[in-house]
Amino acid sequence: MTHPPKRPLTLRDVSEASGVSEMTVSRVLRNKGDVSEATRTKVREAAKRLGYVPNKIAGALASQRVNLVAVIIPSLKNMVFPEVLSGISEVLEDTGLQPVVGVTDYLPEKEEKVLFEMLSWRPSGVIIAGLEHTEASRAMLAQSGIPVVEIMDVDGEPVDTCVGISHRRAGRMMAEAIINAGYRKIGFMGTKMPLDHRARKRFEGFTRTLAKAGIEIADQEFYSGGSALAKGREMTAAMLERSPDLDFLYYSNDMIGAGGLLYLLEQGIDIPGQVGLAAFNGVELLDGLPRQLATMDACRREIGQRAAQVIADRHGGRDTGESVHSLSPTLAYGDTLRRP
Amino acid sequence: MTHPPKRPLTLRDVSEASGVSEMTVSRVLRNKGDVSEATRTKVREAAKRLGYVPNKIAGALASQRVNLVAVIIPSLKNMVFPEVLSGISEVLEDTGLQPVVGVTDYLPEKEEKVLFEMLSWRPSGVIIAGLEHTEASRAMLAQSGIPVVEIMDVDGEPVDTCVGISHRRAGRMMAEAIINAGYRKIGFMGTKMPLDHRARKRFEGFTRTLAKAGIEIADQEFYSGGSALAKGREMTAAMLERSPDLDFLYYSNDMIGAGGLLYLLEQGIDIPGQVGLAAFNGVELLDGLPRQLATMDACRREIGQRAAQVIADRHGGRDTGESVHSLSPTLAYGDTLRRP
DNA sequence: ATGAAAGCGCTAACAA
DNA sequence: TTGTTAGCGCTTTCAT
């Protein structure tokens, strides 16, 4: 066992150990330029023997190139964003680019801080959730000089490019399906709005479409914090107590919808006869529930893939044409929403 | 609207714009050294007006200091790791250190790659899940010269420091509780083992303790992929079909346990009389289930906090004494495991 | 309180 | 195919 070095090894150490110039060592380690097979192996051996780990900081400064892509999302606990992330990783995997994740907790000021922090590492691109940012954040993005992809949402003006679905349209589609199925007394449950613009837009699309059909939300409740499943259960119980004549419940996310579903089944309520249910996201979790909850797929993985593709293309000098990539969510009726 | 710059701004630009030397600008932007209030504001204004974003790459190279902590985990979809991460973020928040996440997908070679990649950015510390790594990974960690904390598990030899629970002991505790409650025909369901050392250790602790009491696992099944909730449901149905005389089902994680619970309730099976259930992790999700599933808390948030604390302390020059931080999981009987 | 000079460890560009 | 020379944009150190 050799003694752990206080000073990390440098190219110079490998150069001396292998009797080859630093420049050539650098070339070998990056597989760049022509190097004879002989020196190649000599260098590789020395590097491995010493346990050399290159210093990307120095490399990045010298080459003015950083293979990082900043990915800025509101939360990791949401089930939704990990899926977007795997879409991103999947595509970046074979491009030499690497995602680096920053979390904002849905706070605009924290987003600004995280963005500033990440931009100061001079990444090759930014993927950031949502179209709503502070003035300063938008300015930073616009000034950054690197490809910027805003994801999840297309209802608004992107700084550069966006990939997502229209949440207003998603809300509208769901409202139409519910109306067409004959439901009329509709309750809504969701997260507290100011935090989540996409939930807000779905709600807007939803209520406006109902309004056009002369229907008003009969009851509504908003929550924050705690186990979403438990919250869904509690809110549903409370709402049905308060407004026993409701014939439909629309939930802003699948977890609270699942909680509501479990509650209603326990109460022996006829679904979707007496009460219909629908939610939003299409998370995998729903597959294990006693009934298939009606929901709308948010195209999470595909959003991640497309966003990463845009970054990769632009990084490779290819242009991607369109600045708005609008995907189409699909409605799953499941067992809790009557078909028209 | 000024034209977006092709070349990112440098200290020099701010220096010229404010009529102050680069050095002084640098001092202002880092709040270091004595600078008169007058120049301070002058510089701040110029920086803000120009939209200057410092270049951390150059800063890190010059100062030989990087405020990043590499966090390497197997997956983000697991519900478990996001919680560990928030424990980490929470503590690092007020230390000036920033977590950077790398994901290994439970693959040792990918872990090695990710580790190499992250170490090449010369972080101030490493937090990495598990005690099992490739030879090369261990060597890199040992050679890195920075604090290394292996988390989640304490059954083994840490390279440097570890923070976690003993999964063998967790398995043993659960086996003892089940035996004491009088159950005898026990079925096990879990993930395919080779991927997950901690699940494997729990299983080992579990079976050994049963063996000492003269009990053998009566049936077992392992899965991989798919919706865990649905898998739990399917596996439970299949197992009870196959082995109708089972009186207890132990699941290696809460999601499949929840799936099993939902299935059994639908079948009208008496829980915990006819069949008892228990799982592992204590995830928040369980709060919304019709019955409280017996489980064992894995101390996820606390593990994150302690690990981050170790890094922060060592980074600040403080020594943390012990190299093994063993936390104690607590057993929650819930409604699905008879008390002794 | 401010500035000037000398690198940090690497790579681009050129030379041999 | 290999080596040499200048930086990359900042911070450290030492003057002033």
Side-chain angles (χ1 to χ4, degrees):
Chain A
M1 198 69 179
T2 52
H3 200 69
K6 290 278 90 83
R7 171 183 65 73
L9 299 167
T10 68
L11 262 191
R12 169 161 219 135
D13 296 305
V14 182
S15 164
E16 284 169 359
S18 62
V20 177
S21 79
E22 287 185 43
M23 197 53 236
T24 302
V25 173
S26 167
R27 283 198 265 256
V28 172
L29 266 26
R30 287 178 301 143
N31 303 309
K32 270 234 170 161
D34 295 318
V35 182
S36 75
E37 197 49 43
T39 45
R40 262 193 140 65
T41 40
K42 233 190 337 190
V43 169
R44 288 233 179 80
E45 255 166 29
K48 184 156 203 177
R49 181 161 42 79
L50 298 177
Y52 172 68
V53 176
N55 185 331
K56 285 220 179 197
I57 298 174
L61 184 62
S63 67
Q64 306 280 51
R65 253 187 307 243
V66 179
N67 70 333
L68 302 176
V69 176
V71 180
I72 300 177
I73 57 180
S75 164
L76 283 171
K77 300 184 187 164
N78 199 287
M79 203 68 108
V80 168
F81 297 104
E83 281 200 54
V84 176
L85 275 182
S86 41
I88 292 173
S89 308
E90 193 184 304
V91 171
L92 292 188
E93 201 92 351
D94 7 75
T95 66
L97 292 170
Q98 244 211 332
V100 180
V101 179
V103 173
T104 69
D105 294 322
Y106 288 98
L107 303 172
E109 320 84 55
K110 189 160 182 197
E111 181 184 85
E112 192 176 312
K113 226 185 79 185
V114 168
L115 179 61
F116 184 81
E117 200 74 15
M118 302 197 95
L119 285 179
S120 73
W121 287 102
R122 299 287 186 267
S124 291
V126 178
I127 296 175
I128 184 168
L131 290 162
E132 285 75 21
H133 315 289
T134 66
E135 191 88 15
S137 292
R138 286 185 69 92
M140 280 191 268
L141 289 169
Q143 294 271 332
S144 68
I146 57 179
V148 175
V149 184
E150 291 165 276
I151 57 170
M152 312 308 286
D153 191 4
V154 297
D155 294 327
E157 268 306 310
V159 169
D160 174 355
T161 306
C162 65
V163 178
I165 65 170
S166 164
H167 287 263
R168 279 199 234 285
R169 177 155 168 268
R172 175 160 46 87
M173 284 170 66
M174 189 55 91
E176 283 163 358
I178 292 168
I179 294 168
N180 289 340
Y183 297 103
R184 289 298 177 268
K185 302 284 287 180
I186 298 162
F188 177 87
M189 285 164 258
T191 50
K192 288 213 161 52
M193 295 286 157
L195 302 165
D196 186 341
H197 296 283
R198 294 175 289 287
R200 194 201 69 224
K201 288 172 184 173
R202 286 198 298 280
F203 185 62
E204 285 171 11
F206 188 71
T207 51
R208 278 181 200 169
T209 307
L210 292 187
K212 276 184 197 152
I215 302 175
E216 238 186 280
I217 292 278
D219 196 351
Q220 60 189 52
E221 187 170 341
F222 305 96
Y223 78 101
S224 67
S227 157
L229 203 64
K231 284 287 178 191
R233 179 181 284 274
E234 292 162 19
M235 287 194 295
T236 303
M239 186 172 288
L240 249 34
E241 171 96 12
R242 211 162 48 216
S243 318
D245 57 337
L246 291 177
D247 64 4
F248 201 91
L249 300 172
Y250 179 41
Y251 298 87
S252 84
N253 71 63
D254 285 338
M255 281 302 261
I256 56 174
L261 172 62
L262 290 177
Y263 172 78
L264 295 176
L265 289 175
E266 279 166 41
Q267 302 298 308
I269 290 173
D270 170 32
I271 302 173
Q274 184 180 346
V275 178
L277 298 176
F280 182 83
N281 264 337
V283 298
E284 200 180 49
L285 173 104
L286 297 185
D287 290 347
L289 258 26
R291 303 274 184 91
Q292 211 53 40
L293 183 63
T295 190
M296 188 165 274
D297 178 37
C299 310
R300 300 179 299 285
R301 168 172 291 270
E302 198 188 347
I303 286 175
Q305 292 169 330
R306 296 275 292 260
Q309 197 58 60
V310 170
I311 300 282
D313 286 347
R314 295 267 289 274
H315 186 247
R318 294 173 291 277
D319 209 319
T320 45
E322 41 192 342
S323 74
V324 176
H325 299 243
S326 181
L327 309 183
S328 297
T330 57
L331 176 63
Y333 282 87
D335 313 317
T336 68
L337 167 58
R338 285 194 300 260
R339 277 151 215 275
Chain B
M1 196 67 178
T2 53
H3 201 67
K6 289 277 92 79
R7 172 184 66 71
L9 299 168
T10 67
L11 262 191
R12 167 161 220 132
D13 296 305
V14 182
S15 163
E16 283 169 0
S18 62
V20 176
S21 78
E22 285 186 44
M23 198 52 240
T24 302
V25 173
S26 167
R27 283 198 265 256
V28 172
L29 266 27
R30 287 177 301 142
N31 302 309
K32 270 232 171 163
D34 295 317
V35 182
S36 75
E37 198 47 43
T39 46
R40 261 191 142 64
T41 39
K42 231 186 344 186
V43 169
R44 289 233 179 80
E45 254 166 30
K48 184 156 204 176
R49 181 161 43 78
L50 297 177
Y52 172 68
V53 176
N55 186 331
K56 285 221 181 199
I57 297 174
L61 184 61
S63 66
Q64 306 280 52
R65 254 188 305 243
V66 179
N67 70 333
L68 302 175
V69 175
V71 180
I72 300 177
I73 56 179
S75 163
L76 283 171
K77 299 185 188 163
N78 198 288
M79 202 66 107
V80 168
F81 295 106
E83 281 202 53
V84 176
L85 275 182
S86 40
I88 292 173
S89 309
E90 193 183 304
V91 171
L92 292 188
E93 200 91 350
D94 2 79
T95 66
L97 292 170
Q98 244 213 331
V100 180
V101 180
V103 173
T104 69
D105 294 323
Y106 288 98
L107 302 172
E109 320 83 56
K110 189 159 182 200
E111 180 184 85
E112 191 176 312
K113 227 185 76 187
V114 169
L115 179 61
F116 184 81
E117 199 74 14
M118 301 198 95
L119 285 179
S120 74
W121 286 101
R122 300 287 186 265
S124 291
V126 178
I127 296 174
I128 184 169
L131 290 160
E132 285 75 22
H133 314 289
T134 67
E135 191 88 16
S137 292
R138 286 184 69 91
M140 280 192 268
L141 289 170
Q143 295 270 331
S144 67
I146 58 179
V148 174
V149 183
E150 290 165 277
I151 57 170
M152 310 310 285
D153 191 4
V154 297
D155 296 327
E157 268 305 311
V159 168
D160 174 356
T161 306
C162 65
V163 177
I165 65 170
S166 164
H167 287 262
R168 280 201 235 287
R169 176 154 168 268
R172 176 157 47 88
M173 284 169 66
M174 189 56 91
E176 284 163 357
I178 292 169
I179 294 168
N180 290 339
Y183 297 104
R184 290 297 177 269
K185 303 285 287 181
I186 299 162
F188 176 87
M189 284 164 258
T191 50
K192 288 210 162 52
M193 295 287 158
L195 301 166
D196 187 341
H197 296 283
R198 295 176 287 287
R200 194 201 69 224
K201 288 172 184 173
R202 286 199 297 280
F203 186 62
E204 285 171 11
F206 188 72
T207 51
R208 278 180 201 170
T209 307
L210 292 187
K212 277 186 195 149
I215 302 174
E216 240 185 278
I217 292 277
D219 196 351
Q220 61 189 52
E221 188 170 343
F222 305 97
Y223 77 100
S224 67
S227 157
L229 203 64
K231 284 289 178 187
R233 179 180 284 273
E234 291 161 20
M235 287 195 293
T236 303
M239 186 171 287
L240 250 34
E241 171 95 13
R242 212 161 50 216
S243 318
D245 57 339
L246 290 176
D247 63 4
F248 201 91
L249 299 173
Y250 179 41
Y251 298 86
S252 83
N253 71 62
D254 285 338
M255 282 301 264
I256 55 173
L261 172 63
L262 290 176
Y263 172 78
L264 294 176
L265 288 174
E266 279 167 42
Q267 301 299 308
I269 289 173
D270 170 31
I271 301 173
Q274 185 180 346
V275 178
L277 298 176
F280 182 82
N281 262 338
V283 298
E284 200 179 51
L285 172 102
L286 297 185
D287 290 347
L289 259 25
R291 303 276 183 91
Q292 210 54 39
L293 184 63
T295 191
M296 188 165 275
D297 177 37
C299 310
R300 301 179 299 285
R301 169 172 289 269
E302 196 187 347
I303 286 174
Q305 293 170 328
R306 295 275 293 260
Q309 198 56 62
V310 170
I311 299 282
D313 287 346
R314 295 267 289 274
H315 186 248
R318 295 173 291 278
D319 209 321
T320 46
E322 42 193 341
S323 73
V324 176
H325 300 241
S326 181
L327 309 183
S328 296
T330 57
L331 176 62
Y333 283 85
D335 312 317
T336 68
L337 168 57
R338 284 195 300 260
R339 278 152 215 274

